Amino acid sequence: MTRSLPPEVSAAQFDRALAGWRAIVGEPHVVTSADGLAAYLDPFAPGEASEFSASAALLPASVDEIRAVLRIANEFRIPLWTVSTGRNFAYGGAAPRLSGSVVLDLQRMNRIIEVNETLAYALVEPGVSYFDLYAHLRDKGYRLWVDPPAAGWGSVVGNTLERGFGYTDYGDHAATQCGMEVVLANGDVLRTGMGGIDIGTAWQLYRPGYGPSFDAMFMQSNYGIVTKLGVWLMPTPPAYLLGEIQFQHETDLDAIVEILRPLRLDDTIRNNAVIEGGLRRAAGLSARSPWYEGTGAMPESAVTAMLKKLGVGRWNLHFALYGAPELIDARYAIVQRAFARVPQAKFSATRYTGDAQPVAGGDRNLAGVPAMSAFRMLDWRGGAGAHVDFAPVCPASGRDALRQYTMIKTRAAEYGFDYYGGFTAGVRHLHHIFAAIFDRDDAYQLEQAGELLRSLMSDARAAGYGQYRAHLAYMDFAAAQYGFNDGALLRLSETIKDALDPNGILAPGKQGIWPEKWRDRRGYT
Ligand code: ADP
């Protein structure tokens, strides 16, 4: 196998850079072997994984080491791709957008720097996973919850920077972040907001600080390396209720969204309630083969029979109510009254005291307990299960939800995929998440998954919808959808990029933002 090099860097130059990096982070923390680098390939690549491959990986242990690493990257103009734990599966894993980039893997920086129970926050380094933070809070007896995303092994920093979400009242991770420490491409280290005060006392309490506020600028961008991040935590509630409402008809989606929106707007339901499609709910209980063995999307008759047998609705609304039992009862009565308008809606609810934990994986997320429930889906089609996600933002209107659902389901069936999806409810919008599940060992399915994603993006663009997150392969395409005034938004992003990172060394191409040096690499794959 030929050795992979950073773009436009000779083998001799790369050797000099590597020698410099070894002196900084230590020999064992510079990965160059083919085996070692395989861990940085995208395990779910909807195409050739080698299209996005690293030439090396560096695992620094401190901010000072990162700054020293940057000096060398700037000297040799070698692009770095930062990951915290690198488990951004379905969007690229730890792999870089620009092949030949060196992955800056921050998993060794894994200290939980502070937990403040009274003010309900934590300050963590990039390598801290949701499992780690959860275990720490339990061990020390803090009465605080984490808000885990579907896969608990990912990092708090990585998930928050990508604007991931969970399921409790603290489910909007970008909104519950407060204060960052960031290393810029030139090695400067800054602290955002109140962190700008040297002996500060409110870094994790008041995000804006004084003057312009920059935290959001480091999310889904390539402007800096985040080395510390503050996150607000939910105080353990006295009690909570986990509710499910099953709906029997596809077209009920319209009514569900129309009824849910006012309940989210007036705070009766405060968590990111999920409207889960029947097939996705079923995939948590069973594989596909007992219900349908054919190729192509499952026919309607087979889906209906499966849902009936498994006792699953066409749509299944999952929500949670946290707080004092009297308030939970009052809010639940309002929820029941509202949804009883939908014919044949079936209600179920379980009540817990704040310290009790549900047994089932998905429910545990709603109780602040990280799990790996997200991986059950990989067994749906059998073989080497993988998925790639299409995630358009949907206005919280029944009409839009039904329109997106119909559009995606129809297109997916054309390419032989089931509608495996659902809507996670913000307040005025829904995150519509569809996953094309495929067997990586099946070349045809793999190719079709890629084709489907491209079609879906064109459909979305024509209908005026945009994605909230995209796989490496589609980042440019997704960014191009935000094309108002001949792409003024991306022009601004790239103007800032060039000012902060003139050598173009930090994550070129991330979110479609290319530094001047690599702008010719933009490609709508
Ligand atoms: P996970 O927490 O799921 O393992 P990753 O570590 O893969 O997430 O991070 C997801 C993405 O977020 C990365 O591809 C990178 O673009 C960005 N990112 C992660 N950590 C940092 C960081 N510390 N500084 C800047 N960007 C980061």
Side-chain angles (χ1 to χ4, degrees), residues 177-218:
Q177 173 273 336
C178 190
M180 285 178 190
E181 180 182 83
V182 187
V183 185
L184 299 178
N186 64 6
D188 207 3
V189 182
L190 66 102
R191 291 184 174 178
T192 61
M194 302 302 289
I197 295 177
D198 266 333
I199 48 159
T201 51
W203 190 17
Q204 271 60 64
L205 308 181
Y206 179 63
R207 188 167 23 192
Y210 179 75
S213 178
F214 290 108
D215 295 50
M217 201 174 101
F218 297 101

Side-chain angles (χ1 to χ4, degrees), residues 81-89 93-95 106 126 130 153-159 161-162 218 221 224-227 469 472 475 507 510-511:
W81 179 266
T82 308
V83 299
S84 285
T85 47
R87 286 168 175 154
N88 195 20
F89 287 18
L106 303 184
Y130 284 92
W153 68 352
S155 66
V156 176
V157 171
N159 189 278
L161 293 181
E162 287 296 285
F218 297 101
S221 76
I225 298 166
V226 176
T227 46
R469 197 169 172 182
L472 295 173
M475 278 180 174
K510 182 168 163 56
Q511 249 66 31

Side-chain angles (χ1 to χ4, degrees), residues 5-26:
L5 292 171
E8 297 178 18
V9 171
S10 71
Q13 287 170 321
F14 193 36
D15 284 337
R16 276 167 50 211
L18 287 170
W21 283 330
R22 285 192 182 101
I24 295 161
V25 300

Side-chain angles (χ1 to χ4, degrees), residues 236-254:
T236 302
Y240 60 100
L241 172 150
L242 303 188
E244 185 186 56
I245 312 177
Q246 296 190 352
F247 303 92
Q248 305 313 316
H249 313 285
E250 247 180 332
T251 50
D252 288 345
L253 179 62
D254 189 336

